[in-house]
Amino acid sequence: MSSTEPPSASPANVLPKVAAVKVADGERLRSVHLPGITLTVRSRPPARAGLPPALYVHGLGGSSQNWSALMPLLDGVVDNEAVDLPGFGDSPPPDDGDYSITGHARAVIRYLDASGRGPVHLFGNSLGGAVTTRVAAVRPDLVRTLTLVSPALPEIRVQRTAVPTGLLAVPGVAALFTRLTREWTAEQRVRGVTALCYGDPGRVSEEGFRNAVEEMERRLQLPYFWDAMARSARGIVNAYTLGGQHALWRQAERVLAPTLLVYGGRDQLVGYRMAQRAARAFRDSRLLTLPDAGHVAMMEYPETVATAFRELLADTGKPAADERTDGVVEDEPANQSTGG
């Protein structure tokens, strides 16, 4: 794995001294230096040697911490690692300032190539779902299975509740929002994010809320936080407009890996109605629908998602079965639609 010192020419590329990132029991963090990027990787010791590797990719505004509830539930079946995408979590911005879906996918691919861990069981949420879809489409050799939790795939009719997030992509809006919310406390911001991302904010424990507030306070000290958010949001919007072989739905059709799709009925950012389209687009897919979940089912219902993934591993290669039911994972027939 190559090692380079992060550049010091631009202040945006230097991680300032801020509070330490939260590390749960059994986790460890390390920095991986690669050409053009430095990535922070969160890992857990595997239950035993020889387990297949897994890599988790978070969504917009998230970090590798978003997988801390799910990873320990899979310690016995995979060797867990979660990455902070460039500019998020504890990873500094990329040298080239590329926050596009392709740029983030390239970072994931660089890490997998350099680490030699592929093929992996690849997980993605929201933005991370779009990123990992692209990775699985262009580098099938790196992916054993694909698990997508509320993936940010193009929608013709975007939910009204998702519009403010999409507006971050408009030049100047992030700066305006920063000025307008200057007086907001970290606690107020976390309550807003929780209300947007959880189907039931009451499922967040007091400790989990305190940790989220501490993380928000840390992020707000980073000079590039809003820039990373705005550019990544712009990357999602731009990806939605791409046509031809680079279109995300077209790439979804190219994914060969067995795919688990997880959608929440109370998701305010990704339409629940997109679940059936996704199930048709991914050729070897199964669908888990959680009517009470929001945008981050792996944080709200980690046990259910873990069970579904274990069933995916156990049943991979079995023929398609019956109609799906809410909260139950069943096989999805082979793709019968162009997916647009």
Side-chain angles (χ1 to χ4, degrees), residues 21 58 62-63 84-85 87-91 215 218-219 222 224:
V21 173
H58 62 81
S63 75
D84 286 335
L85 290 172
F88 292 94
D90 208 30
S91 294
E215 174 61 13
R218 188 191 72 85
R219 292 183 188 184
L222 299 173
Y224 53 79

Side-chain angles (χ1 to χ4, degrees), residues 3-292:
S3 177
T4 58
E5 289 298 321
S8 57
S10 172
N13 281 340
V14 177
L15 191 64
K17 292 184 181 300
V18 296
V21 173
K22 190 76 175 180
V23 182
D25 290 342
E27 294 182 345
R28 70 184 185 98
L29 296 179
R30 73 181 190 280
S31 291
V32 178
H33 303 296
L34 300 166
I37 54 173
T38 297
L39 300 176
T40 296
V41 178
R42 182 181 302 263
S43 62
R44 295 182 56 84
R48 60 182 182 277
L51 290 177
L55 184 69
Y56 303 79
V57 184
H58 62 81
L60 181 67
S63 75
S64 57
Q65 291 185 63
N66 293 165
W67 302 100
S68 289
L70 179 63
M71 287 198 296
L73 301 177
L74 296 177
D75 279 347
V77 292
V78 292
D79 183 351
N80 289 301
E81 286 191 346
V83 64
D84 286 335
L85 290 172
F88 292 94
D90 208 30
S91 294
D95 287 2
D96 59 6
D98 185 357
Y99 289 100
S100 66
I101 298 294
T102 297
H104 285 313
R106 187 180 299 120
V108 172
I109 290 171
R110 283 179 182 170
Y111 172 68
L112 289 175
D113 278 339
S115 67
R117 282 172 56 85
V120 299
H121 294 290
L122 191 59
F123 293 70
N125 169 233
S126 191
L127 163 67
V131 169
T132 53
T133 294
R134 182 151 291 174
V135 171
V138 302
R139 288 293 304 275
D141 58 304
L142 293 178
V143 183
R144 296 174 186 242
T145 65
L146 181 63
T147 297
L148 303 177
V149 181
S150 296
L153 299 175
E155 300 183 43
I156 295 176
R157 291 185 296 109
V158 177
Q159 294 186 101
R160 195 175 305 171
T161 47
V163 170
T165 302
L167 286 175
L168 284 175
V170 179
V173 168
L176 175 62
F177 183 77
T178 302
R179 290 197 299 273
L180 292 176
T181 62
R182 185 177 293 112
E183 303 303 319
W184 289 13
T185 66
E187 181 174 330
Q188 288 174 313
R189 295 173 189 272
V190 169
R191 290 194 187 282
V193 171
T194 302
L196 181 64
C197 292
Y198 277 72
D200 177 10
R203 295 185 67 87
V204 181
S205 67
E206 290 186 10
E207 180 183 4
F209 184 79
R210 287 196 304 270
N211 292 340
V213 170
E214 291 177 10
E215 174 61 13
M216 179 63 72
E217 291 172 341
R218 188 191 72 85
R219 292 183 188 184
L220 291 173
Q221 296 179 55
L222 299 173
Y224 53 79
F225 172 69
W226 285 111
D227 185 61
M229 285 283 289
R231 289 175 182 261
S232 292
R234 197 172 306 149
I236 295 174
V237 172
N238 290 342
Y240 279 23
T241 64
L242 284 178
Q245 64 178 352
H246 298 295
L248 282 170
W249 283 114
R250 186 67 57 83
Q251 292 193 319
E253 294 174 353
R254 291 168 52 191
V255 172
L256 301 177
T259 301
L260 170 63
L261 301 163
V262 183
Y263 282 81
R266 296 182 179 177
D267 194 331
Q268 299 182 63
L269 295 170
V270 170
Y272 189 59
R273 65 183 179 276
M274 302 306 295
Q276 295 296 335
R277 182 177 183 181
R280 292 192 298 270
F282 290 89
R283 65 179 71 190
D284 182 6
S285 68
R286 56 181 58 202
L287 176 62
L288 171 64
T289 57
L290 298 172
D292 294 328

Side-chain angles (χ1 to χ4, degrees), residues 146-148 258-263 279 284-291 297 301-316 318-333:
L146 181 63
T147 297
L148 303 177
T259 301
L260 170 63
L261 301 163
V262 183
Y263 282 81
D284 182 6
S285 68
R286 56 181 58 202
L287 176 62
L288 171 64
T289 57
L290 298 172
Y301 297 94
E303 295 86 359
T304 306
V305 175
T307 297
F309 176 72
R310 288 172 179 269
E311 292 175 355
L312 173 70
L313 294 190
D315 297 341
T316 295
K318 289 187 177 181
D322 304 323
E323 186 71 18
R324 295 170 306 278
T325 58
D326 288 341
V328 178
V329 182
E330 297 186 11
D331 292 331
E332 169 65 25

